[in-house]
PDB file of all heavy atoms in Angstrom:
ATOM      1  N   ILE A 164       2.088   1.569   1.413  1.00 90.00           N
ATOM      2  CA  ILE A 164       2.521   0.182   1.259  1.00 90.00           C
ATOM      3  C   ILE A 164       3.304  -0.218   2.494  1.00 90.00           C
ATOM      4  O   ILE A 164       4.309   0.396   2.846  1.00 90.00           O
ATOM      5  CB  ILE A 164       3.403   0.004   0.000  1.00 90.00           C
ATOM      6  CG1 ILE A 164       2.682   0.493  -1.253  1.00 90.00           C
ATOM      7  CG2 ILE A 164       3.838  -1.447  -0.138  1.00 90.00           C
ATOM      8  CD1 ILE A 164       1.461  -0.292  -1.656  1.00 90.00           C
ATOM      9  N   LEU A 165       2.819  -1.248   3.156  1.00 90.00           N
ATOM     10  CA  LEU A 165       3.454  -1.779   4.353  1.00 90.00           C
ATOM     11  C   LEU A 165       4.222  -3.024   3.938  1.00 90.00           C
ATOM     12  O   LEU A 165       3.645  -3.952   3.371  1.00 90.00           O
ATOM     13  CB  LEU A 165       2.374  -2.124   5.384  1.00 90.00           C
ATOM     14  CG  LEU A 165       2.808  -2.470   6.790  1.00 90.00           C
ATOM     15  CD1 LEU A 165       3.544  -1.303   7.426  1.00 90.00           C
ATOM     16  CD2 LEU A 165       1.602  -2.844   7.616  1.00 90.00           C
ATOM     17  N   GLY A 166       5.529  -3.039   4.178  1.00 87.00           N
ATOM     18  CA  GLY A 166       6.342  -4.177   3.748  1.00 87.00           C
ATOM     19  C   GLY A 166       7.377  -4.556   4.777  1.00 87.00           C
ATOM     20  O   GLY A 166       7.726  -3.781   5.657  1.00 87.00           O
ATOM     21  N   LYS A 167       7.857  -5.779   4.654  1.00 81.00           N
ATOM     22  CA  LYS A 167       8.928  -6.267   5.516  1.00 81.00           C
ATOM     23  C   LYS A 167      10.232  -5.613   5.094  1.00 81.00           C
ATOM     24  O   LYS A 167      10.497  -5.438   3.915  1.00 81.00           O
ATOM     25  CB  LYS A 167       9.088  -7.787   5.380  1.00 81.00           C
ATOM     26  CG  LYS A 167       8.120  -8.578   6.190  1.00 81.00           C
ATOM     27  CD  LYS A 167       8.556  -8.572   7.614  1.00 81.00           C
ATOM     28  CE  LYS A 167       8.031  -9.799   8.316  1.00 81.00           C
ATOM     29  NZ  LYS A 167       8.433  -9.828   9.684  1.00 81.00           N
ATOM     30  N   SER A 168      11.055  -5.265   6.045  1.00 66.00           N
ATOM     31  CA  SER A 168      12.300  -4.561   5.776  1.00 66.00           C
ATOM     32  C   SER A 168      13.224  -5.323   4.827  1.00 66.00           C
ATOM     33  O   SER A 168      13.795  -4.735   3.930  1.00 66.00           O
ATOM     34  CB  SER A 168      13.040  -4.293   7.088  1.00 66.00           C
ATOM     35  OG  SER A 168      12.253  -3.490   7.927  1.00 66.00           O
ATOM     36  N   ASN A 169      13.360  -6.614   5.018  1.00 69.00           N
ATOM     37  CA  ASN A 169      14.313  -7.388   4.215  1.00 69.00           C
ATOM     38  C   ASN A 169      13.634  -8.330   3.236  1.00 69.00           C
ATOM     39  O   ASN A 169      14.238  -9.275   2.768  1.00 69.00           O
ATOM     40  CB  ASN A 169      15.237  -8.194   5.130  1.00 69.00           C
ATOM     41  CG  ASN A 169      16.116  -7.292   5.962  1.00 69.00           C
ATOM     42  OD1 ASN A 169      16.514  -6.229   5.511  1.00 69.00           O
ATOM     43  ND2 ASN A 169      16.401  -7.698   7.179  1.00 69.00           N
ATOM     44  N   ASN A 170      12.360  -8.104   2.930  1.00 55.00           N
ATOM     45  CA  ASN A 170      11.643  -9.023   2.053  1.00 55.00           C
ATOM     46  C   ASN A 170      10.802  -8.220   1.066  1.00 55.00           C
ATOM     47  O   ASN A 170       9.705  -7.799   1.374  1.00 55.00           O
ATOM     48  CB  ASN A 170      10.753  -9.942   2.900  1.00 55.00           C
ATOM     49  CG  ASN A 170      10.088 -11.017   2.080  1.00 55.00           C
ATOM     50  OD1 ASN A 170      10.154 -11.012   0.858  1.00 55.00           O
ATOM     51  ND2 ASN A 170       9.437 -11.945   2.738  1.00 55.00           N
ATOM     52  N   GLN A 171      11.307  -8.025  -0.128  1.00 59.00           N
ATOM     53  CA  GLN A 171      10.615  -7.229  -1.132  1.00 59.00           C
ATOM     54  C   GLN A 171       9.345  -7.909  -1.636  1.00 59.00           C
ATOM     55  O   GLN A 171       8.503  -7.262  -2.232  1.00 59.00           O
ATOM     56  CB  GLN A 171      11.550  -6.947  -2.313  1.00 59.00           C
ATOM     57  CG  GLN A 171      12.730  -6.090  -1.943  1.00 59.00           C
ATOM     58  CD  GLN A 171      12.326  -4.690  -1.524  1.00 59.00           C
ATOM     59  OE1 GLN A 171      11.297  -4.184  -1.931  1.00 59.00           O
ATOM     60  NE2 GLN A 171      13.119  -4.066  -0.679  1.00 59.00           N
TER      61      GLN A 171
END
Side-chain angles (χ1 to χ4, degrees):
I164 304 294
L165 190 61
K167 278 283 206 180
S168 299
N169 295 326
N170 186 352
Q171 295 295 334

